[in-house]
Amino acid sequence: MTTPSSPPSSWVEGAAGSGYDADHLPYGVFAGPGESPRVGVRIGNHVLDLTPVAAADMLDTHHLFDEPSLNELLGAGRAVWQSTRTWITGLVTDETERDLVEPHLLPLAEVTMLMPFEVGDYVDFYASLDHATNVGRLFRPDAEALLPNWRWLPVGYHGRGGTVVPSGTDVVRPCGQRKAPTEDAPTYGPSRRLDIEAELGFVVGAGSHLGEPVSTSAFADHVFGVVGLNDWSARDIQAWEYVPLGPFLGKSFATSISVWVTPLDALAATWTDLPGQEPAPLDYLSVAEPAGLAIDLEVELAGEVVSRPPYASMYWSPHQMLAHLTANGASIRPGDLFASGTISGPEREQRGSFLELSWGGKEPFTVAGVERTFLDDGDTVVLRYSAPGTGGGRIAIGEVSGTILPAQGLD
Ligand SMILES: O=C(O)/C=C/C(=O)CC(=O)CC(=O)O
Ligand SMILES: [Ca+2]
Ligand SMILES: [Mg+2]
């Protein structure tokens, strides 16, 4: 992928050094009190209301922004994504645009950020070698940690698009069937092993045709950008229900994403080589370009950072996930979402789930002086992501937070 020349810093006050300068420009959907939701772009601590600026500039794509979701923009395709980004870059870096733009820069504190796009199909992969190895050891202690297919294909499952929620949405502790290995029969009740999964989500823009696989080289024509993603997981419900069809109710109650979608063009300086694949992938999964992402994560629980997973350690690339997801001819649509799977590095303090951090609950870790394993009611988890931007500094990919509320199911 070619690295476009870096834009100069923005004239917008507070943008330089904020992680949201002119080299980032993530999209979201916002509304002020009593207003209709519409598309904006973040610059520093402001959201730029694109609709009136596009109308004043007589942009022929202005209708894409007066929408309650990004889906119209997603479906418009790569050429429109690029011309839109070039236009916005000019607005926030060219001083002569100040008179036009400034009245439409709204402080973030004065607007509400909403769900950025309408999620179509949601797929979750399992692309971290370290996570898959850890979970294999914990869930299947008597078998090989990695199942025989794992190094041949990016393992994944179809999740539930309708329960993807924006950052800041509270998560009610799920109820379900739980059966500890020591119990004879399952009982129905609140999950006792509620967990997080620190992941990266890939947002599909341009769709494909049924029957036509998408090649790894067409990745940037179809994927619009990335979001932070927390795939909340009830480990006790999961461990009992998942055989043989895979994750179901232990995952489908909620998945949180960031309210900001970082376009792929903002990641031009973030691509890096994959750690290495052995055996070499089948032809339809081979990737010619650097396909890893040097994105660093922070997992915060109760105000303390408990882990720093490195995305660069991921085994399978998003190009390969997309190629595999469509390898049977399944088509994709604007707003589809596929996630990387839990991001865990090789070190203990790089694990992206509490299942791994507490080694199945057997090795508690200390947060603010208290021993912890899984999530308690009232806990708030924040995932933060940062990456090298094209401007030489770092960009802050949308953070994802959520607070656990007590279970509401019948007990
Ligand atoms: O190995 C298993 O049985 C399942 C592991 C998972 O939790 C699946 C999942 O959500 C994938 C991931 O986040 O990496
Ligand atoms: Ca997951
Ligand atoms: Mg989920």
Side-chain angles (χ1 to χ4, degrees):
M1 193 168 286
T2 53
T3 305
S5 60
S6 132
S9 203
S10 174
W11 53 260
V12 175
E13 210 174 302
S18 69
Y20 295 95
D21 202 347
D23 63 343
H24 189 185
L25 304 175
Y27 293 89
V29 169
F30 73 97
E35 293 176 352
S36 312
R38 55 205 188 274
V39 172
V41 146
R42 180 163 177 178
I43 179 82
N45 277 324
H46 290 81
V47 52
L48 173 58
D49 187 357
L50 294 174
T51 301
V53 185
D57 256 357
M58 289 186 289
L59 208 70
D60 55 8
T61 51
H62 66 92
H63 59 280
L64 298 176
F65 311 124
D66 194 11
E67 287 285 333
S69 80
L70 292 175
N71 291 54
E72 290 295 318
L73 176 63
L74 298 179
R78 192 179 182 192
V80 171
W81 307 337
Q82 288 180 330
S83 62
T84 303
R85 185 171 171 84
T86 303
W87 170 65
I88 298 168
T89 304
L91 294 175
V92 300
T93 57
D94 184 345
E95 279 277 355
T96 66
E97 302 281 11
R98 202 188 256 265
D99 289 349
L100 168 66
V101 170
E102 222 158 25
H104 305 292
L105 281 176
L106 311 172
L108 276 175
E110 291 173 17
V111 300
T112 302
M113 296 308 302
L114 304 164
M115 187 66 190
F117 59 100
E118 215 175 296
V119 179
D121 291 313
Y122 166 48
V123 165
D124 193 21
F125 284 96
Y126 193 38
S128 160
L129 178 66
D130 295 296
H131 173 70
T133 305
N134 289 337
V135 173
R137 285 196 185 125
L138 287 162
F139 275 23
R140 295 171 287 274
D142 303 324
E144 277 291 317
L146 279 190
L147 291 164
N149 60 0
W150 198 89
R151 286 176 182 272
W152 289 101
L153 54 86
V155 172
Y157 69 95
H158 280 89
R160 191 167 188 85
T163 53
V164 179
V165 297
S167 176
T169 306
D170 292 335
V171 172
V172 175
R173 178 179 299 273
C175 287
Q177 284 200 21
R178 316 145 304 178
K179 192 184 99 52
T182 50
E183 292 169 329
D184 295 335
T187 52
Y188 175 81
S191 171
R192 303 175 186 120
R193 297 188 142 216
L194 184 55
D195 197 358
I196 64 153
E197 290 191 324
E199 307 195 16
L200 191 67
F202 297 89
V203 181
V204 172
S208 67
H209 298 288
L210 191 62
E212 296 174 13
V214 176
S215 69
T216 56
S217 61
F219 175 77
D221 292 329
H222 290 277
V223 172
F224 176 80
V226 303
V227 287
L229 188 146
N230 184 348
D231 180 26
W232 305 96
S233 298
R235 300 302 182 188
D236 41 2
I237 298 172
Q238 178 186 354
W240 168 238
E241 74 177 358
Y242 85 103
V243 188
L245 291 186
F248 189 39
L249 303 174
K251 303 272 188 180
S252 63
F253 54 95
T255 302
S256 300
I257 61 168
S258 59
V259 295
W260 296 107
V261 182
T262 294
L264 274 197
D265 281 334
L267 298 176
T270 308
W271 294 104
T272 184
D273 288 330
L274 290 172
Q277 300 184 320
E278 183 60 47
L282 299 179
D283 279 351
Y284 84 99
L285 289 174
S286 71
V287 209
E289 53 201 300
L293 286 163
I295 297 176
D296 294 335
L297 279 74
E298 274 181 10
V299 178
E300 185 187 284
L301 170 63
E304 219 172 85
V305 174
V306 296
S307 174
R308 297 180 192 279
Y311 195 92
S313 68
M314 296 296 271
Y315 187 93
W316 292 104
S317 85
H319 313 63
Q320 295 170 320
M321 297 177 208
L322 181 62
H324 188 64
L325 159 59
T326 59
N328 62 351
S331 50
I332 49 173
R333 295 174 295 182
D336 283 358
L337 173 67
F338 63 97
S340 60
T342 310
I343 304 158
S344 289
E347 308 298 331
R348 188 182 188 284
E349 61 278 9
Q350 295 178 325
R351 296 173 183 167
S353 69
F354 297 144
L355 174 75
E356 295 163 271
L357 280 167
S358 70
W359 206 252
K362 294 193 290 282
E363 297 174 13
F365 54 99
T366 305
V367 181
V370 180
E371 287 210 330
R372 301 301 309 268
T373 53
F374 295 97
L375 290 166
D376 292 336
D377 291 345
D379 273 343
T380 296
V381 175
V382 186
L383 307 181
R384 295 196 180 79
Y385 304 71
S386 78
T390 59
R394 293 187 74 79
I395 61 171
I397 294 165
E399 67 177 48
V400 197
S401 74
T403 298
I404 304 303
L405 298 186
Q408 290 177 5
L410 298 172
D411 211 350

